[in-house]
Amino acid sequence: MKLKEFLHYTYVFPVLAVLYYLSGLMGTGVVFDVIAGVLLTGSVLSAVHHAEVVAHRVGEPYGTIILALCITIIEVALIISLMVAGGEQAITLARDTVFAAVMIILNGIIGICVLVGGVKYFEQFFARTSATTYLVSIVSILVITLVLPNFTSSVNGPYYNNAQLIFVSIACLVIYGVFLMVQTVRHRSYFVPADGNAEEHFIPNKTQTVVSFFLLVVCLIVVVLMAKGLSKTIEDMVQSMGAPKSLVGVIIAGVVLLPEGLAAIRAARNNQFQSSLNLALGSALASIGLSIPAISAVSIMYDIPLVLGLDKKDIILLTLSVFIVMLSLSRGKTNILYGTVLLVNLAAYIFTVIVP
């Protein structure tokens, strides 16, 4: 690789962001927090670039799986660190963050992708079998983890006891593991774009791929660390607005999901909606299918009470979101109405978080 390539913003921003985070200047003033926000945004854009480089090298659906898994691992690390530090005050943190991530993905990322693609191409096409495979897995895990706890009777409240947490964790891992086998081995063709115009970009060499994968991980880590570092500032801003504290989790989840969101939207603009779908639904499945087992393990190890069951309002919003996504993806093609409705659902969710 030439020296000039390393001066590109996608290489400079991650390095500057790491150095700035290590300097300890974040949280010491408004100006320093603004600088942190700029570096965080640059790191997000850099992550999108490096994810695309890796995806072009390994091909579909492996590229989207790599990005989904990287972001999920970092998301889980953030949730666990906040849980351990917050103790009993963080009993709803995991549920709120995972729920926010799922709602943002199902309504926000998919909605924007459908709308952007619909505006530019009128209709975009994808394999219905891939959408069905994703949604079957997602709906099962969502109900088991976020709805069923409200109706069990071993303990009072929206909790699972340790035995139930272990069972639910194993169930999530089994579903996600079999899904990965279906996606990458037995029915890989479901998730590969049918048109042959997918690869107009260069195919990176091995060195470029290794460097981009390393920087992708660095970008994702620094995005989460900066989001965590700015969480106090965000919390103060939310409190000054008079909004509920749960809005903080929505904002942080949105920041963490920015890399895959931007990558999915870019794919939709390039008329590669199958890649957008792989990114969005794959991230939703990984987010809940891997987060809950990891969070449950920490809850059992540190004896932290873990609230998983959603309240009635959130169950209604989740049901509406899943139902609309299923209808929108049932025909194998999209239009702007589907995207508009999904974005209205997202607006309703965020509005009811601010005004319960």
Side-chain angles (χ1 to χ4, degrees):
M1 297 180 66
K2 298 179 181 179
L3 179 61
K4 185 170 67 174
E5 294 183 35
F6 286 102
L7 298 179
H8 195 260
Y9 80 92
T10 56
Y11 295 91
V12 173
F13 265 108
V15 175
L16 291 178
V18 170
L19 294 176
Y20 191 78
Y21 178 79
L22 295 176
S23 71
L25 294 175
M26 270 201 319
T28 58
V30 176
V31 175
F32 295 112
D33 286 342
V34 170
I35 295 173
V38 172
L39 292 175
L40 187 150
T41 303
S43 298
V44 167
L45 297 175
S46 301
V48 173
H49 168 80
H50 294 301
E52 289 182 339
V53 171
V54 174
H56 290 151
R57 176 69 180 185
V58 302
E60 286 291 347
Y62 301 106
T64 53
I65 291 174
I66 289 173
L67 181 57
L69 289 178
C70 285
I71 290 179
T72 301
I73 290 170
I74 303 304
E75 177 190 354
V76 169
L78 175 61
I79 294 174
I80 290 175
S81 65
L82 293 175
M83 279 178 62
V84 174
E88 292 192 1
Q89 297 179 353
I91 60 175
T92 62
L93 174 67
R95 179 200 65 184
D96 293 341
T97 305
V98 171
F99 178 58
V102 169
M103 293 294 286
I104 290 171
I105 292 169
L106 293 182
N107 296 297
I109 296 178
I110 293 181
I112 294 174
C113 289
V114 171
L115 186 60
V116 168
V119 168
K120 189 172 183 180
Y121 300 103
F122 290 88
E123 289 182 337
Q124 289 184 300
F125 300 89
F126 58 93
R128 285 182 297 174
T129 47
S130 68
T132 302
T133 307
Y134 278 119
L135 291 172
V136 164
S137 306
I138 291 171
V139 171
S140 175
I141 295 178
L142 282 174
V143 173
I144 290 174
T145 57
L146 299 182
V147 178
L148 187 59
N150 290 318
F151 302 98
T152 55
S153 56
S154 297
V155 290
N156 294 324
Y159 299 90
Y160 275 141
N161 61 27
N162 288 349
Q164 291 169 330
L165 280 177
I166 293 172
F167 171 79
V168 168
S169 299
I170 294 173
C172 291
L173 293 175
V174 168
I175 292 174
Y176 188 71
V178 174
F179 171 83
L180 280 185
M181 182 187 69
V182 168
Q183 185 181 26
T184 59
V185 181
R186 293 187 67 90
H187 300 287
R188 182 170 177 251
S189 60
Y190 292 177
F191 307 90
V192 178
D195 52 271
N197 63 1
E199 292 300 339
E200 297 178 356
H201 300 83
F202 75 100
I203 302 298
N205 58 40
K206 185 176 180 180
T207 301
Q208 290 172 318
T209 305
V210 171
V211 171
S212 286
F213 179 75
F214 173 76
L215 287 175
L216 171 62
V217 175
V218 170
C219 288
L220 295 176
I221 291 174
V222 78
V223 164
V224 172
L225 291 176
M226 282 192 158
K228 182 181 178 182
L230 292 172
S231 61
K232 177 60 178 173
T233 302
I234 297 172
E235 186 175 333
D236 292 340
M237 179 185 70
V238 169
Q239 288 180 345
S240 67
M241 293 167 51
K245 193 174 180 180
S246 55
L247 182 60
V248 177
V250 177
I251 295 173
I252 293 178
V255 172
V256 173
L257 291 171
L258 266 178
E260 59 192 338
L262 292 177
I265 294 167
R266 182 175 295 184
R269 289 183 60 191
N270 293 333
N271 202 21
Q272 298 170 0
F273 191 79
Q274 185 65 57
S275 296
S276 297
L277 205 62
N278 291 345
L279 276 166
L281 293 182
S283 297
L285 181 56
S287 177
I288 193 166
L290 297 179
S291 297
I292 297 301
I295 294 165
S296 298
V298 171
S299 173
I300 294 172
M301 289 172 57
Y302 289 90
D303 196 25
I304 300 174
L306 181 62
V307 173
L308 284 179
L310 298 171
D311 59 30
K312 293 179 181 179
K313 170 181 69 69
D314 289 337
I315 290 176
I316 291 173
L317 287 171
L318 179 62
T319 303
L320 174 66
S321 301
V322 170
F323 184 62
I324 296 300
V325 169
M326 292 176 71
L327 290 178
S328 300
L329 302 180
S330 64
R331 298 174 60 237
K333 57 183 179 180
T334 66
N335 63 57
I336 59 172
L337 176 62
Y338 302 157
T340 303
V341 173
L342 288 171
L343 290 175
V344 169
N345 289 348
L346 178 66
Y349 162 63
I350 294 175
F351 180 79
T352 54
V353 168
I354 299 173
V355 186

